[in-house]
Amino acid sequence: MELLKKLTQANSPSGNEGDICRVIEKEIKEYCDDIKIDALGNLIAHKKGLGDKIMFAAHMDEIGIIVTFIDENGFIRFSAVGGLYVKNMVHLKVRFSNGVIGVIGSEEEGFNKKPELSRLYVDIGAKNREEAEKKVQIGDTAAFIGDCYIINDTVISKALDNRAGCYVLIEALKRIKNTDNDLYFVFTAQEEVGLRGAKAAAFAVKPDFAVAVDVTDTGDTPDAPVMAVKMGNGAAIKIMDRSVMCDSDVRTHLIETARKKHIPYQLEIMTDGGTDAGSIHLSGSGVKTGGISIPTRYIHSPSEMASVKDINSCVDLITLLASDKWKSNI
């Protein structure tokens, strides 16, 4: 799990994936035949083969903020990069790519009423605009600060969405010994702002089949909406979300593989939100696409929570799928 810690602590909001991209590239370069980074910032790792062309995708960006204005007193106004829960943001810490750390504050009126993004600001301890602009510029992005803790079977950290998915692909790639399949492990950019990187990557790869790996909500906490997915019950095989109706043949293949190899799994229907599967399945003339998700509580917060066993179940499933003969089973 030391790798997961390293992945979660990289600072890479959407559109600025350089830090996490370098970490992943260093980790996988010995386990694939070719690596390239495309124009959108996707990292595409190719393990060559003559069989089915299969694309596994996990987005490497995270939610964050972007600087829009610095006032005369040195306080920083910002906009969202990805989906933010404004009511939970006051007094959270953020880190800019140059290491500058700030605290999110709120105007008193905004704090007492329903919170709005326009009433929040970042305080980096600057005395005035001139001092602040020496550290932060308009357009700079920052990610939330949240240390990674692993306690028995539980991992708590910022950016498990979707560094946990990246971890799954990396560990699966390391385990694959012999396969005839033509494999593409794609670590996508800008998922949090509209599934953008996956669209370009899938167009370039033109896979026969694809599987997106991401996190998913759970229905097992007191404030959760009704949902069958529970943390600790295994890999979640996606049926649908707001971005995709997963291909029925691919879904069946995932389920049958998990059953045969006794990998714990559950079925996922996510009524809010989407994943890279939404862009991949629409690429070109269409791609038969499925999804595997890691059940995660408190998504889009600095304290996301997941089960180590669930993460490892996803690693096991992806490893097996990479060696399967898909066309003969679908």
Side-chain angles (χ1 to χ4, degrees), residues 102-154:
V103 177
I104 295 177
S106 173
E107 299 171 7
E108 185 175 357
E109 184 180 358
F111 188 80
N112 293 328
K113 294 183 178 181
K114 182 179 179 180
E116 298 176 6
L117 199 63
S118 62
R119 297 186 181 278
L120 303 183
Y121 58 86
V122 175
D123 182 355
I124 61 171
K127 295 178 181 179
N128 50 46
R129 178 187 289 136
E130 183 179 13
E131 185 175 321
E133 287 179 341
K134 292 178 181 178
K135 300 178 179 179
V136 174
Q137 300 292 320
I138 303 298
D140 286 352
T141 58
F144 294 96
I145 294 175
D147 292 339
C148 184
Y149 301 95
I150 299 175
I151 306 165
N152 299 322
D153 183 50
T154 301

Side-chain angles (χ1 to χ4, degrees), residues 54-92:
I54 306 169
M55 173 176 165
F56 298 105
H59 75 87
M60 57 183 171
D61 59 315
E62 61 187 302
I63 59 168
I65 63 171
I66 185 167
V67 176
T68 59
F69 179 75
I70 302 174
D71 71 20
E72 61 183 10
N73 295 313
F75 295 106
I76 299 165
R77 300 290 180 162
F78 61 90
S79 187
V81 177
L84 302 182
Y85 295 124
V86 178
K87 66 179 182 180
N88 296 328
M89 288 175 59
V90 177
H91 301 159
L92 294 183

